[in-house]
Amino acid sequence: MVFSSIIFLFYFLPVFLVVYTLAPERWKNAVILTFSVFFYAWGAPVFVFVLLASTIIDFYLVRSLHRAATNRGRKVRLLLSLSLNLGLLAYFKYANFFVENLNAALLSAGVDAVGWTAVALPIGISFYTFQTLTYSIDVYRRQLEPLDRLADYLLFIMSFPQMIAGPIVRFREVAAQLRERQSTYEDKLLGFHRFCLGLAKKVFIANVLGAKADEIYALDFTTLDAPTAWLGAVAYAGQIYFDFAGYSDMAIGLGRMMGFRFPENFNSPYVATSISDFWRRWHITLGRWMRDYLYIPLGGNRVGSRFRLYFNLWVVFLLSGLWHGASWNFVIWGAFHGFFLVLDRLFLLRWLGKVGRLPAVIFTCFVVIIGWVFFRLETLGEATEYLSAMFRWDFALPVASPKLWLTLAVSLLASWGVLSAPGRWVEARLYPTAVSSTGTAVVYLTLGLLVYLLSAAVITSQGFNPFIYFRF
C-alpha cells in the first residue's frame, strides 16, 4: 500500500482519521500502532512478524543496556543491539548481493557455485534499521532516557507515515512527542494541506516525468541519440526529486495531523551551488544521520591529516551508496559523490565561489544528473552505455517522438517553476506554519480537497504509480 493509491486515499486514511479523532487521548498511540502494523502487513505479511519480534527484543536489550552497572556491560548490550539490527539488514538486503559476487568469483576460478535461495527484500528495511540504531546509540550515549513502554517503542519504529521511506526520524526528535503531544484543528488542517501538496508533486509531476524517463531508458542505448539520452537523464532527475520529496511531504503532513513534528527532508536541492551544498539540501535526514552516527565517530573534521579526512568522507559516501541498494552501481554512485565532496575540499568550492551562482548551479546539476544514471540503471555496463549515448555528439535526429518532447518540456518547465527562485517563493506561501483566519482555513481546506480528488482521478486513469524509495 502506498500513499498515492486508491486503497490508501479512500479507505485506509479516512477510516484511520475517524478512529484516531474519536479515540480517547490515552488510546491514540494504540490506534496509530494498530493501523501501522496493518499498513506494513499489507505489503509484507510475513516479514511483519520478523519486524515485530526483532523490535521487541531490541527494546528489552536497550533497557538492559541503560540499567547495566558497568561500561563493559553497556558496551556488550550495545553490540548485541547493533548486531541484531545490522544483521537483519545484512541478511535481507545484502545476502543475495554477496552470494552473487561470490559465485561469480568462484566460477571465474573454475569452482562450482554455491547453492542459494534468493532472499526477498522487505520494504523499508533500510529506514527501519537506521531508526532502531538511533534509539540504541542515543540511549548508550546517555543523551536520552529509554522509553518506559514497549508500545511507545513499537510506535516510534513502526509509525506508518514515515516507516517505509522516511524521513529518518531520530529518537531524540520525537521522544517527548511519543509520551505526550497535542493535535489541534490547525495541526489537522495544515497536515492535510501538506499531505495534498506532496500528493500533487507525486501524481502531477513525478509520475509524468517517470513514465517518460522509463520510455527513454527502455530504448536501445547503442542507437540512442545524445539529446534524447540527456532528456531521459533530466527526466529521471526530476522524477526522483518530486517522487521522494512528495512522499516526504505526505509523511510530514500525516505526522502533523497526529501532532508529530517530523524533520524536513528537502530544501530545493537542484539550486545547490556545490555537491556539498547539494547534500545539505537532499535527503537531509540521511545526511544528518551519516554525519552524527558515522562521519563524526570516524573522526569528522578533527582528524590529524587531510588524507584521513578525505578518506572518511569517501567511506561515508561509499556506505551511503550501499545503503541505497545492494548493487555495484549504488556503490559507484556513492563513490562518485564522495569523490566530488573531496574535490570540494581541495579546490572546487573556491572555484565555484568565483564563477558566480548560476554557473555553479549548472555545474552541480550536471554532476548530479551524471550520478543519477548510475542510480537508475542496474549494471555498470548499462550505465556506461547510457553515458556514452549522452556524450555521443553525432548530431543524429532525436529518437524520442514529438509528443514525448512536448510532454517532457511542459513537465520540466513546471519542475523549473517550483525549483526556481519565484517558484520557491510561491512554494513557501503554499507551506504555511499557521492559519491566520477562518477564510484562510477555508482556502487551504478547499485547495487540499480539490488536489486530493483530482489526484485520485488521475491515479485511477493512468495506472503508473511507483515510489522509487520503497525499494530501499
Side-chain angles (χ1 to χ4, degrees), residues 188-453:
K188 290 180 173 60
L189 174 61
L190 293 179
F192 177 71
H193 178 75
R194 180 77 181 261
F195 176 87
C196 292
L197 289 177
L199 185 62
K201 284 182 178 180
K202 167 63 181 166
V203 174
F204 298 117
I205 303 180
N207 283 1
V208 174
L209 291 173
K212 303 312 174 185
D214 283 359
E215 184 176 332
I216 292 176
Y217 274 94
L219 298 173
D220 183 355
F221 297 166
T222 60
T223 59
L224 189 62
D225 60 274
T228 304
W230 272 100
L231 205 55
V234 172
Y236 182 71
Q239 178 199 4
I240 195 170
Y241 168 71
F242 286 103
D243 185 276
F244 195 14
Y247 184 93
S248 294
D249 280 345
M250 287 187 271
I252 291 168
L254 289 169
R256 182 74 181 268
M257 283 190 270
M258 304 172 209
F260 287 103
R261 298 292 194 275
F262 294 150
E264 295 293 337
N265 215 21
F266 290 90
N267 180 22
S268 302
Y270 291 144
V271 298
T273 55
S274 66
I275 294 299
S276 298
D277 188 28
F278 175 81
W279 278 101
R280 286 190 289 268
R281 296 168 175 270
W282 175 274
H283 204 341
I284 297 169
T285 56
L286 173 64
R288 289 175 180 170
W289 197 100
M290 288 291 186
R291 179 196 65 196
D292 293 344
Y293 296 97
L294 187 57
Y295 181 65
I296 291 177
L298 284 173
N301 297 329
R302 301 185 303 276
V303 292
S305 67
R306 284 184 176 271
F307 173 80
R308 177 67 185 278
L309 171 65
Y310 302 149
F311 178 77
N312 287 349
L313 275 173
W314 199 60
V315 166
V316 166
F317 274 84
L318 274 176
L319 293 175
S320 174
L322 194 58
W323 175 84
H324 279 85
S327 162
W328 285 114
N329 271 23
F330 286 115
V331 176
I332 293 169
W333 174 78
F336 179 79
H337 276 269
F339 173 73
F340 276 94
L341 284 166
V342 171
L343 291 186
D344 276 353
R345 299 294 185 105
L346 288 172
F347 66 88
L348 263 184
L349 287 178
R350 293 192 300 274
W351 179 77
L352 292 171
K354 293 177 181 178
V355 299
R357 180 173 181 81
L358 182 58
V361 170
I362 293 172
F363 175 81
T364 303
C365 284
F366 174 83
V367 172
V368 170
I369 290 169
I370 296 299
W372 285 138
V373 173
F374 293 103
F375 198 92
R376 171 63 173 75
L377 295 170
E378 294 186 3
T379 68
L380 179 59
E382 289 177 322
T384 302
E385 284 188 358
Y386 196 90
L387 288 170
S388 297
M390 289 173 68
F391 294 98
R392 186 189 300 129
W393 298 107
D394 54 5
F395 303 102
L397 293 175
V399 173
S401 66
K403 181 180 178 182
L404 173 60
W405 279 91
L406 178 61
T407 304
L408 277 170
V410 173
S411 301
L412 292 173
L413 183 63
S415 305
W416 175 85
V418 173
L419 295 171
S420 64
R424 284 182 287 128
W425 183 89
V426 172
E427 188 178 38
R429 301 305 181 273
L430 292 175
Y431 288 83
T433 56
V435 178
S436 57
S437 65
T438 303
T440 304
V442 171
V443 169
Y444 287 142
L445 180 60
T446 303
L447 178 62
L449 287 172
L450 180 62
V451 169
Y452 198 89
L453 295 174

